[in-house]
Amino acid sequence: MSYQHYGIDPALVERVKFKMKNPEIKERMKMLLQGVTKADLQNHTKVTRLIGLAAGILGEKLTGSQTNQILEFILAQKIDPNNAFHLIKLWSMFR
């Protein structure tokens, strides 16, 4: 399902995609997500914290509603970072 169904602004996604092309930011994001498990990505508190930290790295100011939309999107995807199929599915969503 598309991120747009969760009310996430396409302009925000495009800004994040552009910023992620910066190798320094990309490395900081990799370090942030290193060791994250499927259980972590289903925990409201941990995901909210990761969203806040990622927004700080990217220099994006998120409103409470934007954070909730992103949180609901992540929880609904049931992402397993160790499953290549899940990662390919996410990659194709944001191409």
Side-chain angles (χ1 to χ4, degrees), residues 43-57:
N43 181 315
H44 282 21
T45 307
K46 288 183 182 180
V47 172
T48 303
R49 182 177 169 274
L50 287 171
I51 292 169
L53 292 171
I57 290 171

Side-chain angles (χ1 to χ4, degrees), residues 1-33:
M1 184 169 289
S2 173
Y3 62 87
Q4 293 175 340
H5 291 123
Y6 291 88
I8 298 171
D9 183 20
L12 171 66
V13 173
E14 290 303 317
R15 283 195 314 270
V16 169
K17 285 171 42 176
F18 179 76
K19 290 177 182 182
M20 286 296 294
K21 291 179 182 178
N22 180 332
E24 182 180 310
I25 290 176
K26 190 174 185 176
E27 281 304 312
R28 290 180 65 195
M29 291 296 281
K30 281 182 184 179
M31 289 174 47
L32 172 66
L33 297 173

